Structure formats: structure tokens, C-alpha cells
Amino acid sequence: MLSSLRHRIALASSSAPSLARRPRPYRPRTDRSIVVHHRAMSKADEAMTPGETAVADVSKDGAFVRKDAIFRNRITPDGPYTPESGRYHLYVSYACPWASRTLSLLHLKGLIEHVTVSSVHPTWQRTRPDDPDDKHAGWCFVGEDGAFVSGPSGAGSFPGGPSHDCTRDHLFGSAFVRDVYDRAMGGAAVGTRFTVPILWDKKTNTIVSNESSEIIRDLNSQFNAIAANKELDLYPEALRPAIDEVNEWVYHGINNGVYKCGFATSQGAYDAAVTQLFSCLDRCEDILGKQRYMAGDVLTEADVRLFPTLVRFDEVYVVYFKTNRKFIHQYPNLWNYVKDVYQTPGMRHSVNMWHIKTHYFSSHPVLNANAIVPIGPDLNLDEPHDRDRFGAAK
């Protein structure tokens, strides 16, 4: 009987079509199935995107549109914000290219003893974790060694504390940069972007500026009475037209251009941004084949503004923002220029590659859900450069 049963099973198996091999019939998507799919994706995107942040600043055609800074006061000898030692405090992130400009100026001008600094942790956190309706994620303070934080979605584990160049809020003990804005604004309005750098006035107890281009210009010119390196002028009058021209196209095409690539939500917006980006990089390569710096034969504000984007490019933007047509280290002039600027006394203090890579790869779940930080390419910024062929730095 057993052999007969086996025989029947064998016959059935050989004659019956295999369910595993049977092709599934094609079922075209209906309008309803597409709507359901889009709703599911929208819910997933909402859960992954850290609320009211720059990641959400996208136009109807999928192009990233950066919001303007909202605090635009200036340091002047005769205004409400006068240049004084110890009066001002900078809130920065070593990860942020805009904030890194201000750190460069503090060190280049020799103002680090006169302007105090608080440095945030690189990984964004939910800034109102007890409010389920508040999805915002942003900069936080982790001032104790041994403390670890995860990204907004709960992925990863990243150390903080002074041993990792993370400080507490030295002025108020705030948990988040958002709290600093709330303090200055009496409660920030919905839609406020809680960005760094912040230049805070201890005397009037408010934010002076959160516009990096204006902060660095004031640090360059308004504190010479107390600056250790007062002879350095990064915005000399004779070069101002050249500096302003470079700043304009570098900002739109490169500084903000990498973000327009990375935060684009449509192929057309990305294609336009990445084309402009590499056109501008090619333009830089051509200029730097003729002179040592972007505006001539001396380091200027134009270099301080361009450098933070370039130094992040190969380590982050090529992968994260899809700017992968070419690495900076594949441009002979640009790569040697990056090393030259980095090796300029004062500039290296604004570069912390652990902060840079940790921030980008851990803070935006919609772009990197599992907060995995790539290992490479680990380029050597201290290797020799060839920029001395244009003569010694002035």
C-alpha cells in the first residue's frame, strides 16, 4: 500500500503543473491601486522626514528653495550691536558648512578669546519628543562624555561630549537650538528654520544674526581693535568686485547647489541642479589653473565661503546628494587648492570630518533610513599641494 501511495504521489507530481513555476497573471494597476500606493508612500515619507526643516523646503516642481535667514542685524561701531570683547556668543555645528565659515573667521582673525562658542551634536534629534504632532528634528546639545544619541527615526548610536567636540549650551543650558530661537522670539512661529550659526548678544539677550555671510564679514572688519590678526583683511577694497562676483555664482551653483541636488524630489530639478553644479566646478578649476585663490593671489572671503563645500564634497555629497559625476580629488587644481586652504593657519579648526559625516548620514531618515555612515574615502588633507607654483601665500 505504501509503495502504491508513493506511485500515485509521483504521478500527481509529474502531471500537475508546478505552482512555484506558474507565472503570475499580469494585473495592470488601477487608479485606485495607484492612489493607495501613493497614500502609503506619503505616510512613510511623513514619518521619515524630520518635520519643519530645510528638507521640506521644496517647490511644486521638486526643486529645493532655501529660506532666507530671519535675523540680519550687523555689528557696527555706532549701532545697537557694537564690537566688544566677551559680548557675543556663537552657536555652531562643525558639520554645517555655513557655521564652519564663522569658525574659520574666529581662528583666522584671532578672535577665539573674545567670542565664546557652543557646539551642537552632529545628529539631529526630535526637538519636542513629548509632542506626537510635532515632527521637527534639529540640532541638540550633548555636553557630557559617555552620552549617546540616535537619529530622528531611532537608528544609529552616536557619542557626544567634549571628547567629540560637542558642548552644552554654555549660556542657558538649552537642550536644543530650537530653544535658543524660542528664547529670542518669545516662542518661534511655525515654519521657522532653527539654523546655525547663531550670533547671540549677551548684553541685550537676543540673536543678532543667523546669516553666515554677514557674520563673517563683520568678524573680518569690526573687531580689529581686539583681533590678534588685525592685519588680515579677507574683504580688501581693491578685490571687492571680484569677491562679490565669485560669491554670487559660487553660492547659487555650488554652496547651495549641492543642496539643490540632494533635496530635489523630481528628476528634472535634480538634473538642472547637478548640471549647474558641475558647470560651476569646472569654472573654479579653470580659474585655479591661473591663480592661487578664487579672487587673486591672496586668501579672501571668497575662499572661506567656497572651501566648506569642497571639503565635504568627496566624503559626503558624492554619495549623499548624488553629485557623482566627478570627485573633487579628480580635479587637479581644485584638489590641490582644497589642501592649500586647509593647511592655511586657522582653517583646519573648522573641519571635523567625524561631525560632518555623522550629521549628514544620521539626521535625514528620508535620505538614509538606517543612519549607516560610509567608511570612505578618507582623503589626506595634509598631503603636499602644488599651489606654491603661483608664489608664496600672501
Side-chain angles (χ1 to χ4, degrees), residues 94-339:
Y94 284 98
C96 173
W98 318 101
S100 293
R101 299 172 172 184
T102 64
L103 283 171
S104 295
L105 260 292
L106 287 187
H107 289 279
L108 287 168
K109 290 291 291 188
L111 290 170
I112 199 67
E113 301 298 324
H114 302 286
V115 179
T116 52
V117 177
S118 292
S119 170
V120 298
H121 191 281
T123 301
W124 280 0
Q125 297 287 287
R126 288 284 299 274
T127 57
R128 295 295 180 266
D130 297 328
D131 183 352
D133 297 324
D134 193 323
K135 306 296 184 183
H136 180 264
W139 304 111
C140 67
F141 298 96
V142 182
E144 295 183 3
D145 284 328
F148 289 76
V149 298
S150 299
S153 65
S157 181
F158 306 97
S163 63
H164 288 84
D165 290 328
C166 305
T167 75
R168 63 183 181 86
D169 174 3
H170 292 303
L171 295 186
F172 309 112
S174 308
F176 306 103
V177 163
R178 180 177 180 176
D179 300 332
V180 178
Y181 278 85
D182 280 346
R183 181 180 292 272
M185 302 172 75
V190 173
T192 301
R193 298 296 180 254
F194 306 114
T195 60
V196 290
I198 298 170
L199 185 64
W200 183 274
D201 179 22
K202 300 174 189 176
K203 183 177 289 187
T204 61
N205 209 36
T206 194
I207 296 173
V208 179
S209 178
N210 67 339
E211 172 49 58
S212 65
S213 65
E214 294 169 357
I215 294 173
I216 65 172
R217 193 161 286 183
D218 289 349
L219 291 174
N220 174 66
S221 62
Q222 298 302 311
F223 291 84
N224 283 332
I226 56 175
N229 196 8
K230 63 186 68 178
E231 303 303 321
L232 175 67
D233 185 2
L234 295 166
Y235 192 57
E237 188 169 355
L239 292 178
R240 287 178 186 179
I243 294 169
D244 291 342
E245 180 189 0
V246 169
N247 285 346
E248 180 70 14
W249 59 264
V250 163
Y251 169 75
H252 290 290
I254 299 177
N255 297 145
N256 199 43
V258 292
Y259 287 91
K260 289 191 288 185
C261 294
F263 291 164
T265 60
S266 72
Q267 188 68 48
Y270 165 79
D271 288 345
V274 80
T275 299
Q276 182 186 28
L277 168 65
F278 281 97
S279 175
C280 290
L281 289 175
D282 290 342
R283 187 174 179 182
C284 290
E285 177 72 2
D286 181 64
I287 290 171
L288 294 170
K290 302 169 184 174
Q291 59 196 38
R292 184 158 186 169
Y293 300 106
M294 286 299 296
D297 61 355
V298 295
L299 184 82
T300 68
E301 177 190 285
D303 305 295
V304 173
R305 289 174 52 141
L306 174 60
F307 171 77
T309 303
L310 298 183
V311 82
R312 287 160 173 74
F313 200 92
D314 290 6
E315 297 279 1
V316 174
Y317 300 146
V318 165
V319 174
Y320 201 59
F321 284 169
K322 310 176 191 71
T323 62
N324 62 343
R325 197 191 84 175
K326 198 171 181 179
F327 288 90
I328 295 300
H329 73 261
Q330 293 174 320
Y331 290 91
N333 296 319
L334 271 171
W335 175 232
N336 280 282
Y337 166 80
V338 169
K339 292 182 289 184

Side-chain angles (χ1 to χ4, degrees), residues 52-106:
E52 291 282 340
T53 71
V55 181
D57 293 336
V58 178
S59 68
K60 291 181 179 179
D61 63 358
F64 171 65
V65 182
R66 185 177 296 278
K67 289 189 173 183
D68 291 335
I70 57 176
F71 290 93
R72 305 292 291 271
N73 301 298
R74 305 299 295 270
I75 307 294
T76 59
D78 54 358
Y81 304 106
T82 56
E84 303 173 35
S85 178
R87 176 171 177 174
Y88 300 100
H89 188 79
L90 264 175
Y91 290 97
V92 302
S93 165
Y94 284 98
C96 173
W98 318 101
S100 293
R101 299 172 172 184
T102 64
L103 283 171
S104 295
L105 260 292
L106 287 187

